[in-house]
Amino acid sequence: MSGSKLTESGNLKEFLRRASAEIERATLEVLPSKEPYQELYSIQKDYPLRGGKRFRPALLLLCAEWFGASYEDALPSAVALELFHNFALIHDDIEDSSLFRRGKPTLHHLHGIPLAINAGDSLFGMVYEILMSNRERFGDQKALDIISLFNQIFRATFEGQAYDIGWVANNHFPTRAEYFEMIRRKTGVYSGKGPCQLGALIADVPPDILEKIGDFGEALGIGFQIKDDVLNLEEDAGELKEYGKERGGDIREGKRTLITIHMLENLNQTDSEKLRAILLKPAEKTLDDDVDWVIEKAIEKKSLNIAWLECKRLAEIIEEKLENLVNSPAKNIASEIANFLVLERSS
């Protein structure tokens, strides 16, 4: 495939198919199969082998090609981002007491918390091993610039996660402004701005373009998170489907979302107190009836519709940001990705 472009078709499905295959191949190549295999390396491979859309590293490859770099040169950084993502999933599942990931039990339920944490930590260590290989490809300074941007992404992700789980731990119910600041860091940077800017940085874009592609990516990441929150409540009861997480899992985990914020703004006092009490329960004590009640009230108060309207608003911002960027097949794919991640109800 050397010399070809992942974006040459201008078609989203074809791009995602090829990008995902390249990312999966390159990721599994770097994951060891040596001892201690059962206690470490087999656990490392579990989530990557479960699939997933891999849209974060795919965004990195997309933006690299968009601005003139080859996907081969960007692939090691994409693999590093994919490994960080799987590290984050392992820790996130433990922090949220999640039961499922990509349709199967989470790693800490399969292997216990200590082994899951250790496997996640080893994935994080491998991120830097892979990024150091960029020295041979780009030279010391550019390799350091890429590592520096990765570190900014890590910091923003951990800060956003601190808000997210801290609110649950401290029984805090955030304002809208606090909520948007949390998702700006946690998913605006991690799921959008960061991957887009990494790809553009690899392509040596000037600072103004790096900022513009970052603005596009940030709106994309925030929209994706809000849509993700809605899908968690819209899945058919008792089914996991492609979403891979139990219906109402966010409620069981006490997540503060735009949906619950809107509900608290519009419920009467009795129902508002009941919602707060449900969100403050430990996950294992949250009943199916609790989840059903919250979803029923979210529908009654049109809180899900409000979240979808916010997704549409962000989609308009995304299209505005795209207008200021160079035309290419990659740009067409970027527009399709925005619709796919932010607006489509079935993904």
Side-chain angles (χ1 to χ4, degrees):
M1 196 177 288
S2 179
S4 67
K5 286 190 173 184
L6 299 175
T7 58
E8 60 191 356
S9 69
N11 178 270
L12 174 61
K13 287 185 178 179
E14 178 63 12
F15 165 73
L16 288 178
R17 182 189 69 79
R18 295 179 65 188
S20 181
E22 284 294 290
I23 294 160
E24 179 179 19
R25 176 192 61 76
T27 299
L28 293 178
E29 262 183 19
V30 303
L31 292 175
S33 294
K34 61 183 182 179
E35 294 299 328
Y37 187 74
Q38 182 177 347
E39 297 85 359
L40 177 60
Y41 294 119
S42 66
I43 303 174
Q44 273 190 349
K45 292 181 180 180
D46 191 319
Y47 281 2
L49 286 170
R50 294 188 190 188
K53 296 183 178 67
R54 302 186 176 92
F55 80 84
R56 294 171 184 85
L59 268 179
L60 190 158
L61 297 182
L62 174 72
C63 290
E65 284 200 351
W66 189 351
F67 298 105
S70 70
Y71 85 84
E72 290 96 341
D73 277 347
L75 191 56
S77 298
V79 169
L81 189 60
E82 178 68 2
L83 293 181
F84 174 73
H85 179 57
N86 282 278
F87 147 79
L89 292 182
I90 294 170
H91 283 242
D92 191 62
D93 287 343
I94 294 168
E95 291 162 353
D96 292 340
S97 301
S98 295
L99 300 176
F100 297 98
R101 174 64 62 184
R102 295 171 180 162
K104 298 179 181 179
T106 49
L107 287 186
H108 65 282
H109 277 281
L110 291 174
H111 304 283
I113 290 176
L115 283 176
I117 288 177
N118 190 57
D121 290 347
S122 67
L123 286 171
F124 188 61
M126 289 184 66
V127 169
Y128 285 96
E129 289 183 39
I130 294 166
L131 291 178
M132 288 300 290
S133 71
N134 280 327
R135 295 177 64 196
E136 301 172 8
R137 194 170 281 102
F138 304 126
D140 289 351
Q141 186 56 57
K142 187 171 177 178
L144 284 172
D145 290 342
I146 293 169
I147 290 174
S148 178
L149 184 49
F150 261 94
N151 283 336
Q152 292 174 44
I153 295 166
F154 299 158
R155 180 185 292 272
T157 304
F158 297 142
E159 288 172 347
Q161 181 73 343
Y163 283 130
D164 197 17
I165 61 178
W167 292 338
V168 175
N170 298 320
N171 298 340
H172 176 69
F173 291 91
T175 64
R176 286 189 181 225
E178 289 173 326
Y179 167 77
F180 276 105
E181 181 59 22
M182 180 273 288
I183 62 169
R184 184 189 69 78
R185 299 189 197 205
K186 184 175 177 180
T187 50
V189 174
Y190 168 45
S191 298
K193 181 178 182 178
C196 289
Q197 286 192 325
L198 283 167
L201 177 63
I202 289 167
D204 294 318
V205 302
D208 64 318
I209 300 300
L210 194 67
E211 183 177 350
K212 288 177 181 178
I213 195 64
D215 290 342
F216 158 79
E218 184 174 293
L220 179 66
I222 292 171
F224 165 73
Q225 181 62 64
I226 294 173
K227 174 188 170 181
D228 192 62
D229 294 341
V230 177
L231 289 182
N232 185 256
L233 304 187
E234 283 198 338
E235 287 296 294
D236 292 338
E239 295 186 7
L240 297 172
K241 294 187 177 180
E242 294 180 11
Y243 183 65
K245 190 175 184 180
E246 69 275 20
R247 178 178 182 255
D250 287 348
I251 297 168
R252 296 182 188 278
E253 294 164 14
K255 292 290 186 181
R256 279 56 159 166
T257 67
L258 184 60
I259 298 163
T260 58
I261 290 170
H262 180 266
M263 291 174 69
L264 289 171
E265 292 171 345
N266 291 275
L267 289 169
N268 62 43
Q269 184 175 349
T270 300
D271 286 344
S272 178
E273 289 175 357
K274 181 174 180 177
L275 175 59
R276 288 171 183 265
I278 290 172
L279 293 175
L280 292 174
K281 284 185 180 183
E284 65 274 11
K285 293 186 179 180
T286 303
L287 306 175
D288 290 343
D289 286 348
D290 293 330
V291 173
D292 291 340
W293 182 87
V294 174
I295 294 173
E296 179 185 327
K297 289 297 179 181
I299 294 170
E300 177 186 315
K301 294 300 178 181
K302 303 189 184 304
S303 300
L304 300 179
N305 291 342
I306 291 297
W308 277 118
L309 286 174
E310 182 63 19
C311 287
K312 290 178 181 178
R313 186 187 73 82
L314 287 162
E316 292 173 0
I317 292 174
I318 289 166
E319 287 301 319
E320 289 175 9
K321 301 298 182 185
L322 281 173
E323 288 177 6
N324 297 319
L325 295 166
V326 63
N327 291 325
S328 73
K331 181 177 179 177
N332 297 335
I333 293 172
S335 180
E336 284 191 67
I337 283 180
N339 184 67
F340 174 67
L341 292 179
V342 178
L343 288 179
E344 286 187 14
R345 295 175 95 99
S346 176
S347 56

